[in-house]
Each structure stands twice: as structure tokens, then as C-alpha cells.
């Protein structure tokens, strides 16, 4: 499945966010792939971040990563950069698809 997400950076954290994402930790890469992620792309427009995630099952991925040490460490790092941190609780389903060129 393909899931689109929107997150927002804290003001002034744009460069740091890009620097941190230049290379993600190997253990996070392994955890994401084990949770069914085949691709995760992020675009940035000022402080707005747009993600497209290719994943077998988005809800299952979030459940698998919620308490995974590699992800909890990464999310703690992201909490200092994002306007709203993600604790992987709840039933996030991503952005609603409104239109697609057939």
C-alpha cells in the first residue's frame, strides 16, 4: 500500500532535519524493512514535510515499530525537530487521497 503523510518542522530546524536524514541508523533501516516498508520518500517545502511510504500494511508497521528500540530512539531525536512528535499510538491512516490521474 502507498500512504502519504504530512509533518511539520519546528522553525529553524530545516537544515538540522536534512542533516540528520542524510544517513539514517542501520538498525532503523533494518526495523523499517522488517516491518514491511519497501520505500519511504520525504519532500520538504519550508517547514512542511510530505512523506510517501510504500508498505505492506501501514497499521501493522506502526504497531511493530511503536516500541522497537531503533524507532523509539529515532522518534526521540525527531521530537526535537518536529512541531508535533509521533509516539506511534492511535489509528493514524495517513492523508486521504482526493484525486489521482488515472
Amino acid at each position: 500500500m502507498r500512504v502519504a503523510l504530512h509533518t511539520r518542522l519546528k522553525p529553524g530546524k530545516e537544515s538540522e532535519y536534512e542533516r540528520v536524514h542524510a544517513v539514517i541508523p542501520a538498525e532503523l533501516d533494518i526495523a523499517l524493512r522488517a516491518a514491511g516498508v519497501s520505500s519511504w520518500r520525504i519532500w520538504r517545502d519550508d517547514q512542511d514535510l510530505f512523506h510517501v511510504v510504500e508498505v505492506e500494511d501501514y497499521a501493522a508497521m506502526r504497531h511493530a515499530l511503536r516500541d522497537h528500540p531503533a524507532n523509539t530512539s529515532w522518534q526521540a531525536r525527531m521530537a526535537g525537530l518536529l512541531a508535533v512528535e509521533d509516539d506511534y499510538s492511535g489509528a493514524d491512516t495517513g492523508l486521504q487521497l482526493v484525486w489521482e490521474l488515472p
Side-chain angles (χ1 to χ4, degrees), residues 3-54:
V3 180
L5 308 170
H6 172 252
T7 55
R8 188 161 176 80
L9 292 171
K10 291 179 179 177
K13 297 295 184 177
E14 299 87 353
S15 294
E16 185 177 354
Y17 182 86
E18 290 187 14
R19 190 170 46 255
V20 168
H21 277 80
V23 178
I24 67 164
E27 60 273 11
L28 180 61
D29 184 288
I30 292 166
L32 288 168
R33 292 177 192 281
V37 176
S38 58
S39 174
W40 194 315
R41 295 179 179 100
I42 304 172
W43 290 263
R44 183 175 70 78
D45 180 23
D46 194 29
Q47 294 167 323
D48 291 299
L49 301 167
F50 301 94
H51 311 242
V52 175
V53 183
E54 301 279 347

Side-chain angles (χ1 to χ4, degrees), residues 4 93-99:
T93 59
L95 299 174
Q96 177 184 344
L97 178 63
V98 175
W99 182 85

Side-chain angles (χ1 to χ4, degrees), residues 2 10-11 15 54 57 59 61 63-65 78 80 90:
R2 180 179 298 139
K10 291 179 179 177
S15 294
E54 301 279 347
D57 181 328
M61 177 210 72
H63 178 74
L65 294 176
M78 291 300 102

